[in-house]
Amino acid sequence: MSKTLRLTEKWMRRGLWLVAIVFAGFLIGLGGTLVGDLPKVEKQLSLDDFMDRAASTALRNGIKNADRAAQEADDALAQAQLKRQVAQADTRAARETFNNWLATRRATQLSDQDAELLARTRALDALKDRERTAGAAVEVEQQAALDARQRAAHERRRLAEMEQAAQQALNAERRRVELRVFLYRLALTLPLLVLAGWLLMKKRKTTWWPFVWGFIFFALFAFFVELVPYLPSYGGYVRYVVGIVVTVLVGRQAIVSLNRYLERQKLAEQLPDAQRREELSYDTALARLSKGVCPGCERPVDLKNPEIDFCPHCGIGLFDHCQACSRRKSAFAKFCHACGASGERPRLPPATVGGPA
Ligand SMILES: [Zn+2]
Ligand SMILES: [Zn+2]
């Protein structure tokens, strides 16, 4: 068709397609912003929302206290161990002195030193006692540290169990939220697609076609491209199923129109020549002629052959002779290319036929 359009019209038409694309672009931008803002409708969930707050706080405090107690027990243990070491060293030293003294006493055999023997033995026993006490203190601190550690481990296990249960609840809730957000988006974009389909069927040839096409592009983009990053795992099904439905509808429409066109064409080819010529628009006829096909039946004809005046397929007149100058000219031309006389014979009275000779 574009070959026969007036130059300005051609450029205007391109400009209008640009308008359609720009319109679609702005709509897509607006839609994208809207869809992107949707998750803010839902509040962000965290693990704490699914745990008994009092219980979890108690557990966390318990862990903190047990950790602190373990640390304190460790410190005390270090002190106690040091004390025990001192006591052990003292005992060792005292025993050595005692043994030396004993050896000397055996050598000298002095029986008046029995009282001192008793005193020294008692002193040694006292040191031994002190060592044992220090050892007991060490054991107490070891026990305390172990208790605190086990308590902390126990509390940690309980907290982990609680968190695991909460995590499951959180995951389930996230899936629900995901589904809800997806449904919001579907509820926004699917009607757009339906509206676009209606516009495509009913309004694509109206004066406002650039806006119609802009809207159709936008609706397709919004549904098949913009929805994708927000699709849950099963969202693909929705997209493909809708895609299949849309394709089937469009395909069905195309098949129906093709059959209707063939039907119309068959009927048209049975009409008388003049009526068929009248029903063809000037632009359509020129467009078909420029492609080397018959304007009536759209089958190829050799238009360059000066012998051919009628379509051999449907019989429509392709060339006739000017009534003013009798030159052979296209039957669809409005004016004679040789003398400028109007070519629309049947509708014009002979008086007006004529022109600048
Ligand atoms: Zn034909
Ligand atoms: Zn003429």
Side-chain angles (χ1 to χ4, degrees), residues 135-173:
V138 167
E139 274 154 23
V140 165
E141 295 305 336
Q142 273 172 341
Q143 183 69 48
L146 184 66
D147 284 350
R149 286 224 170 74
Q150 282 179 345
R151 200 165 66 238
H154 179 66
E155 307 267 280
R156 277 208 181 84
R157 260 201 308 279
R158 274 179 60 199
L159 187 64
E161 276 163 18
M162 260 181 87
E163 277 176 347
Q164 203 179 5
Q167 186 67 50
Q168 277 168 2
L170 177 64
N171 288 347
E173 182 59 25

Side-chain angles (χ1 to χ4, degrees), residues 200-217:
L200 182 69
M201 301 241 297
K202 305 283 175 193
K203 300 283 176 189
R204 69 176 184 276
K205 282 175 182 163
T206 58
T207 321
W208 308 105
W209 64 265
F211 296 114
V212 171
W213 277 105
F215 186 85
I216 290 169
F217 293 153

Side-chain angles (χ1 to χ4, degrees), residues 322-327 329 336-341:
C322 172
Q323 293 210 315
C325 70
S326 302
R327 286 282 283 273
K329 65 166 191 62
C336 168
H337 66 272
C339 70

Side-chain angles (χ1 to χ4, degrees), residues 55 80 108 111 267 280 295:
T108 54
S111 58
L267 281 178
L280 272 172

Side-chain angles (χ1 to χ4, degrees), residues 158-201:
R158 274 179 60 199
L159 187 64
E161 276 163 18
M162 260 181 87
E163 277 176 347
Q164 203 179 5
Q167 186 67 50
Q168 277 168 2
L170 177 64
N171 288 347
E173 182 59 25
R174 281 212 177 119
R175 274 196 296 277
R176 270 196 294 279
V177 168
E178 201 180 49
L179 174 65
R180 204 151 52 218
V181 170
F182 172 68
L183 288 179
Y184 291 157
R185 290 192 174 109
L186 203 61
L188 268 181
T189 50
L190 199 57
L192 289 181
L193 203 62
V194 172
L195 182 58
W198 179 80
L199 285 171
L200 182 69
M201 301 241 297

Side-chain angles (χ1 to χ4, degrees), residues 269 276 294-299 301 311-316 318:
E269 282 169 25
R276 288 177 63 194
C294 163
C297 67
E298 292 186 62
R299 293 190 185 95
V301 277
C311 170
H313 311 295
C314 69
I316 198 168
L318 298 171

